[in-house]
Amino acid sequence: MADVAREAGVSHQTVSRVLNDHPNVSPDTRARVEAAIKRLGYRRNLVARALVTRTTRTLGVVSFDTTLYGPASTIYGIEQAARTAGYFVSIVSLKTIDSAGVRDAVGYLTEQGVDGVVVVAPQRSAARALESLPSGTPVVAVEGTHTADMSVVSIDQVAGARLATEHLLGLGHETVWHVGGPLDWLETEGRIEGWRGVLEAAGRPVPDPLPGDWSPRSGYEAGKTLAAMPGVTAVFVANDQMALGVLRALSEQGVRVPEQISIVGFDDIPESEFFSPPLTTVRQDFAALGRQCIQVLLRQLEAGPAAQEHLVVPPGFVVRSSTAPAR
């Protein structure tokens, strides 16, 4: 910092103010300091800074199964939002979610000096694990249960399922079948709740959900079952990957989409608009989820762990060519 100050012809306090984006620096001085930083290739010593400020400007993230689109996109949204706020992110990915694993992951991140922790907790077992965390560490749960005694930020899964089901009923379909996700997942519960609630409110039959595990293979198996059932004209599938499997199975059985059966997915993965036919689906705004999560955590860092918030991000809906009016 002293080298930068000499190069720019200013004090090291002025360099510090520029580095910390302090407003009381003239544009000309700021430009000289930034030019000196660039010429000298200066990088701040974060370890030294942490010793002075007692903060590392680093946030921890604990997640599970980052191979799945939802958790992976959630982490990306969190990382981008943290970087915009001037924070680095340290990620721990767990193979399985249980109380001991979550405690160990949060403990490891705390030992690394992170200022706060985000736990991506899409499963009920993960939500239960959060209850056993020691107090004192600022923690925000993503996609956790809103009954938890901590801050939670999530996308409204129930509202998304309602959008999908109402769209299909609005096209004149008598009822809507559902291919669900794994039973331990909170998203599965929310999507079933929204789907069932719309059918019951409309006085329509509520078929038993078909089981799935988020994979195209499980959607394919459900699709073969649906193709063999008379009277099925509309299906809401709990994620786009399973919807892809459903589409493949129906095509193999000679069932035309959307002429005979309309399909709606959930997530709006990048590939969904290139399915055959392009998939109507519920869109999850993972960028907004990441921003809200980081904002909640930063407010908690400022006000203390007692400053809990429960925020819900609304979903969107994208109509493409996989749905059509009932014949």
Side-chain angles (χ1 to χ4, degrees), residues 16-301:
S16 177
R17 285 193 288 270
V18 171
L19 290 170
N20 290 291
D21 202 24
H22 197 281
N24 295 336
V25 180
S26 70
D28 178 66
T29 300
R30 186 180 301 276
R32 293 206 324 269
V33 171
E34 290 175 346
I37 287 172
K38 185 176 181 179
R39 285 196 300 271
L40 296 176
Y42 171 75
R43 295 290 184 274
R44 282 191 281 189
N45 187 323
L46 295 181
V47 175
R49 184 181 187 278
L51 290 173
V52 174
T53 64
R54 296 190 177 182
T55 63
T56 62
R57 305 292 292 185
T58 301
L59 302 176
V61 177
V62 179
S63 186
F64 164 75
D65 200 349
T66 53
T67 63
L68 292 172
Y69 177 76
S73 299
T74 299
I75 291 174
Y76 181 77
I78 291 169
E79 187 175 17
Q80 294 302 303
R83 185 175 301 175
T84 300
Y87 282 79
F88 296 99
V89 171
S90 180
I91 300 172
V92 176
S93 181
L94 302 177
K95 291 184 178 179
T96 58
I97 289 285
D98 56 34
S99 296
V102 172
R103 277 199 310 270
D104 289 346
V106 172
Y108 168 80
L109 290 168
T110 303
E111 290 173 359
Q112 304 308 306
V114 299
D115 298 331
V117 178
V118 177
V119 181
V120 182
Q123 294 173 292
R124 188 157 292 282
S125 56
R128 289 193 297 267
L130 293 176
E131 298 172 359
S132 65
L133 290 180
S135 60
T137 301
V139 176
V140 173
V142 180
E143 298 297 350
T145 171
H146 286 265
T147 61
D149 189 22
M150 65 177 57
S151 292
V152 179
V153 181
S154 65
I155 293 176
D156 195 333
Q157 307 295 326
V158 175
R162 286 175 179 157
L163 289 172
T165 310
E166 289 169 351
H167 172 73
L168 291 166
L169 292 186
L171 291 172
H173 297 279
E174 174 62 23
T175 190
V176 178
W177 289 76
H178 181 55
V179 180
L183 294 180
D184 186 47
W185 285 65
L186 295 166
E187 285 99 332
T188 299
E189 295 179 9
R191 294 168 198 180
I192 288 177
E193 178 185 342
W195 160 76
R196 178 178 285 125
V198 169
L199 292 181
E200 290 177 345
R204 304 299 177 86
V206 183
D208 291 333
L210 279 70
D213 62 9
W214 302 134
S215 72
R217 169 62 64 181
S218 66
Y220 178 77
E221 296 301 327
K224 290 194 295 184
T225 300
L226 291 165
M229 302 173 88
V232 176
T233 66
V235 182
F236 163 46
V237 188
N239 79 337
D240 290 352
Q241 285 96 339
M242 290 194 299
L244 175 61
V246 170
L247 289 170
R248 171 68 181 270
L250 295 179
S251 176
E252 288 183 354
Q253 299 301 314
V255 178
R256 300 187 307 279
V257 176
E259 291 83 0
Q260 293 174 274
I261 297 182
S262 288
I263 305 292
V264 175
F266 205 110
D267 278 340
D268 192 29
I269 64 175
E271 298 84 3
S272 61
E273 64 177 309
F274 301 103
F275 288 1
S276 182
L279 185 65
T280 296
T281 185
V282 178
R283 172 177 289 167
Q284 301 201 78
D285 190 342
F286 293 107
L289 180 68
R291 287 194 302 271
Q292 294 279 16
C293 177
I294 294 302
Q295 289 169 8
V296 168
L297 185 56
L298 295 183
R299 287 194 290 267
Q300 189 169 311
L301 289 174

